[in-house]
Amino acid sequence: MLEKEASMPTIATDPKVLGANYNRAFNAHDEVALKGLYADNARFLAPGDVRLSGRDAIAGYTNNWMKAVPDAEINVTHEVVNAPWLVQEFTFNGTHTGPLTSPMGTIQATNRKIAGQCVVLNRFENDLIVESRLYFDVVQLLTQIGVMPVATKN
């Protein structure tokens, strides 16, 4: 009797195409489509010691940003593909008009513009994101929305 071989993760689609699908869904603020791009057991890391597991938790993080910045757009400026990985540098632009839940609490709407550079590293298996690492400048973000603590002068 032959033993059944364990199935190897595959990528049927170029990671660059999969990344473009994510970017289109984000810019359209399509919560259902975004959730469907992650594997059930996906892992996600972001600034502020954010560590999430599972498609529902990751979708909640993304939806939080889309609700807080309802005109948010991402525009990819550079990308590197080394399957199964895709690395994208992008700009994030929008206006902070809704509450933003963060690791330090909820930041109420400031109606200020946000513009920043970000980098995301995504790993794909079976055409779904299984690992995602997002990097952005938290100090820049907090300064732009006017909630960065300012040192007092003596």
Side-chain angles (χ1 to χ4, degrees):
M1 179 180 218
L2 294 173
E3 287 186 34
K4 197 175 193 178
E5 287 185 34
S7 63
M8 293 294 293
T10 61
I11 301 175
T13 307
D14 182 345
K16 193 170 184 172
V17 172
L18 298 172
N21 292 343
Y22 179 93
N23 299 337
R24 269 192 302 279
F26 183 91
N27 287 340
H29 294 227
D30 187 338
E31 296 177 15
V32 174
L34 284 168
K35 185 176 177 179
L37 297 172
Y38 286 94
D40 285 334
N41 63 343
R43 294 185 320 268
F44 177 82
L45 304 174
D49 206 24
V50 173
R51 294 186 178 353
L52 304 173
S53 294
R55 117 180 343 157
D56 290 335
I58 297 165
Y61 179 89
T62 304
N63 295 344
N64 173 52
W65 277 95
M66 290 190 302
K67 285 179 173 61
V69 187
D71 62 343
E73 283 190 348
I74 56 176
N75 297 295
V76 174
T77 53
H78 298 95
E79 57 188 355
V80 177
V81 178
N82 188 7
W85 288 93
L86 171 65
V87 179
Q88 293 179 317
E89 178 184 36
F90 61 93
T91 58
F92 178 95
N93 295 290
T95 310
H96 178 222
T97 59
L100 176 63
T101 303
S102 75
M104 51 186 230
T106 300
I107 303 168
Q108 295 304 318
T110 62
N111 296 310
R112 292 185 178 209
K113 297 279 187 198
I114 298 170
Q117 290 297 116
C118 309
V119 173
V120 66
L121 294 83
N122 287 322
R123 184 170 61 87
F124 296 90
E125 286 182 7
N126 303 315
D127 289 352
L128 296 173
I129 300 168
V130 294
E131 185 175 350
S132 186
R133 302 174 193 169
L134 174 65
Y135 300 95
F136 60 88
D137 187 337
V138 175
V139 172
Q140 179 187 44
L141 170 69
L142 296 177
T143 300
Q144 288 179 2
I145 61 175
V147 299
M148 182 67 196
V150 178
T152 57
K153 295 181 181 178
N154 292 338

